[in-house]
Amino acid sequence: MKDAGMNIVRYGRMLYEKGLTNGTGGNISARVGDVMLITPSGSCKGMLDSTELVTVDIASGKALSGRPSMETPFHLAAYRNREDVNGVVHVHPRFCTTLACARIDVMPGLTPEGVMVLGKRVPTIPYATPGSNDLAEALGKEVVHADAFLLQSHGAIALGSDLKEAFHRLETLEFHAELQYHLMVLGKGDRLPEAEIRRILKE
Ligand SMILES: [Zn+2]
């Protein structure tokens, strides 16, 4: 539990310092057995204190201490539907949020790295009020199909077998959203051919 807490503090600081989140936006969680450790409501991710992290029972959704992030429902949806997921990062990075507000899907197939880290597709979850069960249900429906998502008019989510993988995936997602934005400005750039995407994925 202590290691998970230290990792949340560490990756929170990195997300903040890399400009992937701002203000008190975003939330980070890690699964530890039957519970998840999650950032507290309204906290700056660059200045987290491991003693303030909140423990939530995954099956019941009950907080065992403190006031958890308002987005606790969709973190629970990720863990309940994906046994292989042990880390979840949600933030509002500039370019992911730009595309999510413009209702443009991220195309991971622009580069081999995108395909390897993000897979074939990054689904956009239809808009629902932050913190609502509707948003958790919408993510729950898609969460088995991918490891990274845009939230329409809101931000981005990345999952991982641990927090490190979720962090790298989020960083790669934001890089690809930025790349795609610049290519749209230039009016150039294409996805890799389908056969090459299959070859990279060893399909
Ligand atoms: Zn958010």
Side-chain angles (χ1 to χ4, degrees), residues 39-151:
T39 46
S41 181
S43 57
C44 170
K45 305 308 162 295
M47 294 185 283
L48 290 169
D49 176 342
S50 61
T51 62
E52 292 170 353
L53 299 174
V54 181
T55 305
V56 178
D57 182 77
I58 292 173
S60 70
K62 251 180 117 175
L64 306 177
S65 66
R67 201 162 142 244
S69 162
M70 68 183 292
E71 299 291 11
T72 291
F74 75 57
H75 286 256
L76 291 171
Y79 294 122
R80 286 172 183 165
N81 290 287
R82 290 279 303 270
E83 277 182 13
D84 58 319
V85 165
N86 295 303
V88 177
V89 173
H90 161 61
V91 280
H92 314 139
R94 286 178 183 82
F95 289 94
C96 284
T97 309
T98 299
L99 296 191
C101 289
R103 303 191 184 190
I104 296 170
D105 289 338
V106 170
M107 289 194 294
L110 287 171
T111 72
E113 177 77 3
V115 175
M116 283 185 272
V117 177
L118 303 170
K120 263 189 189 165
R121 198 169 75 90
V122 173
T124 298
I125 308 298
Y127 182 81
T129 308
S132 66
N133 287 328
D134 290 346
L135 183 55
E137 265 175 41
L139 179 70
K141 278 185 197 150
E142 284 285 358
V143 79
V144 294
H145 301 302
D147 296 315
F149 309 85
L150 291 189
L151 297 180

Side-chain angles (χ1 to χ4, degrees), residues 13-57:
R13 191 179 307 130
M14 283 171 76
L15 288 163
Y16 190 78
E17 287 176 354
K18 283 175 169 284
L20 291 165
T21 186
N22 55 75
T24 58
N27 25 79
I28 309 166
S29 70
R31 188 206 303 260
V32 185
D34 295 336
V35 300
M36 70 170 180
L37 209 53
I38 189 164
T39 46
S41 181
S43 57
C44 170
K45 305 308 162 295
M47 294 185 283
L48 290 169
D49 176 342
S50 61
T51 62
E52 292 170 353
L53 299 174
V54 181
T55 305
V56 178
D57 182 77

Side-chain angles (χ1 to χ4, degrees), residues 2 9 11-12 21 30 39 46 67 69 98 109 124 133 152 154 164 172 186 188 200:
K2 200 175 157 209
V9 171
Y11 289 113
T21 186
T39 46
R67 201 162 142 244
S69 162
T98 299
T124 298
N133 287 328
Q152 187 189 323
H154 181 164
K164 183 163 93 176
T172 303
L186 293 174
K188 289 178 183 291
I200 292 166

